[in-house]
Amino acid sequence: MNVKLASIIDPEQNTAYVVPAVALSMIVFAYSVNFGPLSILAFYAVWLFPFALAPRVLLARPGAVVLLLMLPSFFLLSTLWSDAPSATLRASIQYGITFFAGLVAARITSPGNLALGGTIGCLLILFYSAVNWGYSYDYIDGDFAFNGAFSSKNQLGYFATLAIIFSMSLIGVFRTPRVLLPMIAVTAVSGCGMLWMSDSATSLLSALVAFSAVFFAGLVMLLAPWLRRATVVLALTGIAAMVLASQHLGAFDALLAAFGKDTTLTGRTYLWNQAFEIGARQPVLGLGYNAFWVHGRPEAEALWDTFYITARSGFHFHNALIETYVGTGLVGLGFVIALCVLLIVMPLSAVFGRGNVGSLMFFSGLAALFLVRSVAEVDFVTPHTVGSFLVAFILLRLFDHNRNVRHAASLSRPTRSTRHPSLSTATGVFE
């Protein structure tokens, strides 16, 4: 590999390329509506360019790539039966490119560089929101909420949460030059401040769960391998018991009250009921990916009017599974459920094995964040969103890591003629 190509596609040599690329991507995900189509084209360019230079980045180990691309491929296929084929075709291509970019990034970006680029990008995002200092009236909650430069307080809280995760990972799990510590500290403090000011219950709860997952993954990996599975099983059993007990004791209602929410989840339960009724009309294949929220559809117009969405855009069913059910039916729902299962299974599988503890903690936190947010948001089933990009990144990284660990373990097994002590420890792709 020549030096010039390595400076773009080699994770050990391409910091100068991938860190700005990740920072740019974060800004585009946050403010593409503000900055226009050119920002989206810039995002496409920085990740498709490495693939064009070296297609083997993905083609060398295509199994996991093909598996993960089944979801965007099915979204694209739904154009064939979509009620709004032009909307489905456009959105599915955009989603496919976003997801594909995440796969390319996973193969050429180290976890530390992802965290560094994410920290820089989030700092700029939060700074731009602070400069705009916007408030909006929430017709459902009946009060004003700080939303910065976003159209929603939930989006502000979302990026504030990511800012905290990225920056704290640089301090806690990755080796970071001291010269960067002031910037990291400013990002972490800004993220905490913006998260609190956003007053977003979804963001606060998902942040708590994400950091719990980070600490739990780190704790489990301190244990001997034979203790890890038992610890995880006991923890999951305990969590399930606590959830069931809280249902009977009214803890859920108390939690909602603590965040100033009612039992309708500020109108989400009504929205979900409407979605179930609409989805039941074409339950197997759905209306077509992104085909529901189009101008002129009576049900969409009625929901926009009910929830005071005067722009008649940027709205959704506030649940990744329900949104998918309406758009692509039970078949598409099966694909997204499989993706959610992978977000649980792949980090656990990696934690049970061997690898870089810091990177596994980092990815476990991000996986937990997207799983929790899927209950109230559609982060990883829509185009040009940080969730679609990072979920692809996380899963391919974990697939590659587990594959490398298995391969190293098979090489380290003693044979009749020789042993391979030098291969007894798997370094994996995280080192």
Side-chain angles (χ1 to χ4, degrees):
M1 180 185 294
N2 64 56
V3 175
K4 186 176 181 180
L5 185 59
S7 67
I8 295 176
I9 69 168
D10 187 347
E12 296 185 358
Q13 304 180 50
N14 63 0
T15 298
Y17 183 85
V18 296
V19 168
V22 171
L24 169 68
S25 301
M26 297 295 295
I27 294 169
V28 171
F29 296 141
Y31 298 131
S32 61
V33 174
N34 304 58
F35 299 149
L38 286 179
S39 65
I40 295 173
L41 291 176
F43 161 70
Y44 289 171
V46 295
W47 297 115
L48 296 183
F49 178 62
F51 179 74
L53 287 179
R56 66 180 181 277
V57 165
L58 291 182
L59 301 181
R61 291 165 287 166
V65 174
V66 172
L67 178 67
L68 293 172
L69 284 176
M70 290 177 67
L71 176 63
S73 298
F74 182 74
F75 285 170
L76 178 60
L77 185 65
S78 71
T79 304
L80 298 177
W81 61 83
S82 173
D83 282 0
S86 60
T88 296
L89 180 63
R90 178 179 179 178
S92 60
I93 290 174
Q94 291 172 338
Y95 177 77
I97 296 175
T98 306
F99 200 90
F100 186 82
L103 298 178
V104 174
R107 286 278 170 85
I108 70 171
T109 307
S110 69
N113 281 338
L114 173 68
L116 178 56
T119 298
I120 295 171
C122 285
L123 178 60
L124 295 174
I125 289 166
L126 297 181
F127 176 76
Y128 185 72
S129 274
V131 170
N132 281 267
W133 204 258
Y135 281 82
S136 63
Y137 183 73
D138 192 324
Y139 290 94
I140 306 301
D141 286 339
D143 58 9
F144 284 90
F146 178 69
N147 60 353
F150 293 95
S151 59
S152 164
K153 66 177 184 179
N154 292 326
Q155 282 295 104
L156 175 64
Y158 181 27
F159 280 94
T161 301
L162 287 171
I164 300 169
I165 292 174
F166 286 136
S167 57
M168 294 304 293
S169 295
L170 288 176
I171 295 173
V173 302
F174 297 117
R175 295 177 181 177
T176 306
R178 290 186 178 181
V179 68
L180 297 177
L181 291 180
M183 179 202 69
I184 295 169
V186 170
T187 305
V189 171
S190 300
C192 291
M194 292 284 188
L195 177 60
W196 181 259
M197 292 178 65
S198 71
D199 193 29
S200 170
T202 299
S203 299
L204 286 168
L205 288 172
S206 60
L208 289 173
V209 173
F211 278 103
S212 297
V214 169
F215 291 125
F216 181 70
L219 176 64
V220 169
M221 294 197 73
L222 291 176
L223 303 174
W226 63 275
L227 275 176
R228 294 179 186 178
R229 293 180 186 276
T231 302
V232 170
V233 170
L234 286 173
L236 292 178
T237 303
I239 291 171
M242 289 175 60
V243 170
L244 291 174
S246 66
Q247 289 280 63
H248 293 289
L249 297 174
F252 183 68
D253 291 338
L255 181 64
L256 291 177
F259 284 99
K261 305 296 181 183
D262 56 30
T263 54
T264 70
L265 298 175
T266 58
R268 283 184 175 85
T269 53
Y270 170 76
L271 192 61
W272 295 342
N273 286 332
Q274 293 297 303
F276 285 130
E277 292 180 9
I278 295 164
R281 299 171 192 168
Q282 294 178 242
V284 179
L285 295 176
L287 302 173
Y289 176 67
N290 210 45
F292 177 77
W293 300 105
V294 294
H295 293 174
R297 186 183 292 278
E299 299 95 333
E301 297 284 355
L303 289 173
W304 280 326
D305 184 62
T306 300
F307 289 90
Y308 304 96
I309 310 299
T310 56
R312 298 162 68 216
S313 64
F315 195 54
H316 49 73
F317 285 113
H318 283 277
N319 182 289
L321 299 182
I322 294 174
E323 184 80 19
T324 304
Y325 172 58
V326 173
T328 53
L330 294 172
V331 178
L333 179 60
F335 280 112
V336 174
I337 290 174
L339 204 67
C340 292
V341 171
L342 287 175
L343 283 172
I344 299 172
V345 172
M346 296 304 293
L348 287 177
S349 177
V351 167
F352 291 152
R354 295 171 293 180
N356 184 281
V357 176
S359 296
L360 294 180
M361 291 169 62
F362 177 52
F363 287 133
S364 296
L366 287 175
L369 174 73
F370 293 120
L371 279 171
V372 172
R373 286 185 58 85
S374 69
V375 177
E377 300 294 340
V378 294
D379 295 328
F380 54 85
V381 293
T382 50
H384 305 150
T385 57
V386 64
S388 299
F389 178 82
L390 286 181
V391 164
F393 187 108
I394 294 165
L395 290 179
L396 185 56
R397 266 285 179 172
L398 292 173
F399 267 115
D400 286 348
H401 168 70
N402 291 341
R403 174 184 177 276
N404 287 352
V405 167
R406 289 193 302 269
H407 180 66
S410 67
L411 291 177
S412 65
R413 293 193 190 104
T415 63
R416 293 180 181 178
S417 58
T418 186
R419 294 175 180 265
H420 301 278
S422 62
L423 295 175
S424 61
T425 302
T427 59
V429 296
F430 290 125
E431 301 294 347

